[in-house]
Amino acid sequence: MMNASDIEPLFTRADGSYLSARWGRPIVPVVFGVEDDTVALLKGAFEVVCLMAGHRMDELDAELGVNVMMLFCRDWDELTGVPDLDRLVPELGDVVTRLIKADANQYRIFRFDEDGAIKACFIFLRMDAALEQVPAEALALGQAVQAIVLWSDVAFNSTTPLAMADGKTVLRPDIAEVIRAVYDPVMPAVAQDASHALRLAARLQVPS
């Protein structure tokens, strides 16, 4: 079972600051750039992760309409041609420039409400050779897991929140327990002190 020293790096950012946040409203996802069956797969992954976390999905966000946008492309330059995307992501031009320079294949931008809880997430995926090798189920589950909580920007640089069980891609049990702990109603929606990791560790289920 994970302890506080295992959990703290999951929310400690590259600059050394600690930051954890969960959603403060139901998740309403929309997907662009893939076939209908893939859209259903992606939304299904969000449903599974929300159910596991004890969070909800909905058909409409009263403020934003949708609050999770997943956009697939072949080249990052395509993002600048998406109508009104620069209104949702004012820094889009700078983001695209950085992504091209880094030869990245995925990027997430979070937006927060006045209390610091997550209110929106924009997920951009460039289907390069590496991502094309990832099974659709694993890609869908991985993106849902990385959107359900504000993890550290380096949390999964050298590891993955997923595992294989009986030939199927599943969420790692330890990561699932951390997500459940983050969504415990007694826990704050946002935390900026590493003592938060101690409180999470205290809420992990002890294996029988």
Side-chain angles (χ1 to χ4, degrees), residues 6-29:
D6 299 315
I7 295 171
E8 188 174 335
L10 296 174
F11 302 103
T12 302
R13 307 186 69 77
D15 63 6
S17 63
Y18 186 96
L19 180 58
S20 170
R22 69 186 185 212
W23 283 83
R25 61 184 67 193
I27 290 176
V28 183

Side-chain angles (χ1 to χ4, degrees), residues 127-136 138-139:
M127 295 305 293
D128 63 359
L131 276 190
E132 285 183 345
Q133 297 301 312
V134 179
L139 182 62

